Amino acid sequence: MDDALEMEILKITEKLDQNKFVELNEYLEDMHSADIVEIIMELEEENRKKLISVLSWDKISDVFEEVETPVFISLLSAFTKDQKRMILEEMGQDDVVDLIASLDDGKQKELLSLLNREEASELKELLVYDEDTAGGIMTKDYITVKKDITVYQAIEEVRVQASEAETVYYVYVVDHMERLVGVLSLRELIVTKANKIVEEIMKEQVIQVNVGTDQEEVAKMVAKYNLIAIPVVENNGIIKGIITVDDIIDVIEEEATEDIYKFAGTTEGEYKIEDSFQKRIGASVSSRLPWLIVTVFGGLLSAKIIGGFEATLNSNTTIAYFIPLLAGMGGNVGTQSSTLTVRGIATGQIDSKEVLKIVLHEFSVGFSVGLICSLLVAFMTFILNGEMVLSLIVGVAMWANMITAATIGTLVPLIFKRVGVDPAVASAPFISTTIDITGISIYFTLTTILMSQFNLF
């Protein structure tokens, strides 16, 4: 916790203890909801409920949109039935869905029963969709106008719908079947003559996504076309909702976090705050253990390979000193290549047409950095041991190992992608274990061959 946050908490706690609620309300109204959430998370439950009770309804709804589900349920319990309804109605539909989607059916029904039939029906519809799809993150609070009305009528319609809309920057044009046929910006409506027909000025080529489109693909489209919002349609073209850029930012963060956890051979579920300490321990063990077991067997295989070169080791035990160096450098290079490849696939920078180009690029990088590092290692080995042949062996092995590591680190995610497996699963433990095995094999094979050539057995 930084000093500024600690000072804010002390100041707010003091006002709560002294029951200076009016003064506290004025103080919090000028504070951003995200900062209030940060403070709430550091308070005891009793003070949390006190704090939330002094906020205005608008501020409360903004704060509730920022908190996690367990905190949301806890804070909501401090209000009456009517107050809960007011809070839920003030919140964005997509935020409510995100918060209650993980609740059991009974708790969902309890919260939905607080709303009027129309609102509850819309939320139920959103809850049907998979949470990782466009349908799962969209909101039904958007503005539509019919294609055959005048600009004047459209502006009047925008005024009616604006108070409930998530964003007013885009006005979506539909036909009498509610099929999306065009889009207008608010600016275009304002500057166009009032007697013009909407169909005459709308853009017919609308960038849109299907309700079943994966949220990661949605994020890519929004980023590619620099959109503030993107419409979501069913297979028949009927518009069902929109996804706004604030939700896309959350998706990008979520997907990036998921990839990082996968790459490390673990999962985000290890730290679910609603779980007990024992459950979190169990989640950590179950998510990490499989990859660690893979690493154990990889290590045993490496040990078996080393054992197969016992005669080589017995002839010159000095060669064993360089095993950690070669394995470490190979692992570093492989991790660098795999990280860049996985990220390139995730962001769409790498596609199937560029596989050969990417592999050649990383091979060339491995070749170049391997050559420089191998010359440095060979020189330092000679300085430290004074053995020319050993220096040559270590240098060549280092070079070959780094080229191989860069190639493997690139190929594995690409192969995973080709066979339909998430490339992020090509995690650091998997890559490192593979490179350790190949690196040791290369080192001892080259050592055996070169020592045999120089009659050093």
Side-chain angles (χ1 to χ4, degrees):
M1 186 190 309
D2 59 44
D3 293 340
L5 177 59
E6 193 170 359
M7 287 296 293
E8 290 285 3
I9 292 171
L10 286 172
K11 192 183 297 183
I12 287 170
T13 303
E14 184 180 339
K15 292 182 188 297
L16 286 170
D17 292 340
Q18 296 173 2
N19 295 326
K20 295 181 178 179
F21 298 136
V22 175
E23 186 179 329
L24 183 57
N25 172 269
E26 293 173 354
Y27 181 73
L28 293 173
E29 281 301 308
D30 294 328
M31 189 178 290
H32 195 282
S33 56
D35 295 326
I36 297 175
V37 170
E38 199 172 20
I39 291 167
I40 284 174
M41 297 306 296
E42 298 296 332
L43 296 175
E44 297 293 331
E45 185 169 354
E46 183 180 347
N47 276 339
R48 283 182 181 178
K49 292 181 178 180
K50 274 187 182 181
L51 176 63
I52 205 76
S53 68
V54 305
L55 298 174
S56 66
W57 293 115
D58 287 343
K59 204 72 172 180
I60 289 173
S61 63
D62 289 341
V63 168
F64 273 39
E65 289 175 357
E66 300 282 345
V67 298
E68 298 292 332
T69 299
V71 179
F72 167 75
I73 295 299
S74 172
L75 294 177
L76 199 63
S77 66
F79 296 94
T80 65
K81 186 175 181 179
D82 287 340
Q83 289 172 335
K84 289 176 183 177
R85 177 181 54 76
M86 288 175 64
I87 292 168
L88 292 173
E89 287 179 349
E90 285 290 329
M91 293 174 64
Q93 286 183 333
D94 50 339
D95 295 304
V96 176
V97 169
D98 288 342
L99 287 167
I100 70 174
S102 59
L103 300 176
D104 58 56
D105 290 344
K107 197 65 180 177
Q108 283 185 10
K109 287 178 181 177
E110 179 186 333
L111 292 176
L112 291 173
S113 67
L114 299 171
L115 301 170
N116 62 50
R117 184 177 296 178
E118 184 182 352
E119 281 281 341
S121 177
E122 288 181 351
L123 287 175
K124 285 178 184 177
E125 183 180 343
L126 292 174
L127 285 166
V128 169
Y129 299 109
D130 191 313
E131 63 179 352
D132 293 332
T133 63
I137 60 174
M138 71 182 181
T139 176
K140 298 183 79 65
D141 295 332
Y142 56 93
I143 297 175
T144 61
V145 297
K146 292 292 191 289
K147 67 177 183 177
D148 54 1
I149 64 176
T150 65
V151 168
Y152 174 80
Q153 291 172 316
I155 292 174
E156 290 301 310
E157 191 63 38
V158 169
R159 284 178 179 151
V160 172
Q161 299 181 41
S163 62
E164 300 294 328
E166 184 94 359
T167 178
V168 297
Y169 295 110
Y170 296 133
V171 177
Y172 298 101
V173 184
V174 296
D175 61 17
H176 289 282
M177 298 289 291
E178 294 300 317
R179 289 178 299 202
L180 181 64
V181 294
V183 65
L184 287 167
S185 70
L186 187 60
R187 180 180 179 276
E188 286 170 321
L189 270 182
I190 293 171
V191 301
T192 303
K193 290 182 179 180
N195 60 353
K196 278 271 190 181
I197 301 299
V198 167
E199 190 174 12
E200 296 174 5
I201 63 170
M202 71 183 188
K203 292 180 181 176
E204 295 182 10
Q205 298 300 319
V206 187
I207 297 164
Q208 58 191 266
V209 292
N210 187 272
V211 288
T213 304
D214 186 86
Q215 63 177 10
E216 193 170 0
E217 291 301 315
V218 178
K220 288 177 183 177
M221 289 186 69
V222 171
K224 179 180 179 180
Y225 296 106
N226 294 317
L227 301 174
I228 296 173
I230 190 168
V232 183
V233 300
E234 289 188 324
N235 294 334
N236 55 13
I238 294 176
I239 184 168
K240 302 301 293 182
I242 64 168
I243 302 169
T244 51
V245 69
D246 59 315
D247 296 308
I248 293 300
I249 292 171
D250 292 338
V251 168
I252 291 170
E253 181 183 358
E254 180 186 329
E255 293 291 341
T257 301
E258 182 183 343
D259 286 348
I260 289 169
Y261 276 114
K262 283 182 180 178
F263 197 74
T266 183
T267 66
E268 189 176 6
E270 291 190 25
Y271 292 103
K272 284 185 177 178
I273 59 174
E274 65 266 30
D275 288 344
S276 64
F277 180 75
Q278 290 80 3
K279 274 190 174 182
R280 292 201 296 271
I281 294 296
S284 294
V285 171
S286 62
S287 65
R288 299 184 195 185
L289 192 59
W291 286 112
L292 294 177
I293 290 175
V294 169
T295 305
V296 166
F297 280 103
L300 291 172
L301 181 56
S302 297
K304 181 68 175 175
I305 291 169
I306 293 172
F309 291 93
E310 186 177 358
T312 304
L313 272 171
N314 289 336
S315 65
N316 189 343
T317 56
T318 308
I319 62 176
Y321 302 162
F322 300 95
I323 294 174
L325 173 64
L326 292 165
M329 291 299 291
N332 289 337
V333 172
T335 300
Q336 288 174 340
S337 296
S338 60
T339 300
L340 290 170
T341 305
V342 170
R343 188 59 188 154
I345 292 170
T347 58
Q349 295 174 320
I350 297 175
D351 57 33
S352 57
K353 298 177 183 177
E354 296 183 333
V355 169
L356 182 59
K357 182 180 177 181
I358 297 299
V359 173
L360 286 175
H361 174 270
E362 289 301 320
F363 176 88
S364 301
V365 171
F367 183 95
S368 302
V369 298
L371 179 60
I372 295 169
C373 290
S374 64
L375 290 173
L376 178 61
V377 167
F379 175 73
M380 292 304 299
T381 302
F382 180 73
I383 294 297
L384 294 172
N385 294 279
E387 296 182 38
M388 180 62 74
V389 176
L390 180 62
S391 302
L392 176 64
I393 291 170
V394 174
V396 172
M398 170 75 79
W399 190 19
N401 190 30
M402 291 180 75
I403 293 172
T404 306
T407 306
I408 290 174
T410 306
L411 280 175
V412 170
L414 291 172
I415 291 170
F416 276 32
K417 177 68 174 177
R418 178 59 64 89
V419 298
V421 177
D422 189 342
V425 177
S427 59
F430 184 87
I431 296 289
S432 297
T433 302
T434 305
I435 291 169
D436 283 348
I437 294 170
T438 57
I440 288 170
S441 300
I442 289 169
Y443 180 45
F444 277 100
T445 301
L446 284 173
T447 301
T448 303
I449 293 170
L450 290 174
M451 290 183 70
S452 175
Q453 288 294 318
F454 288 100
N455 299 316
L456 297 178
F457 280 110

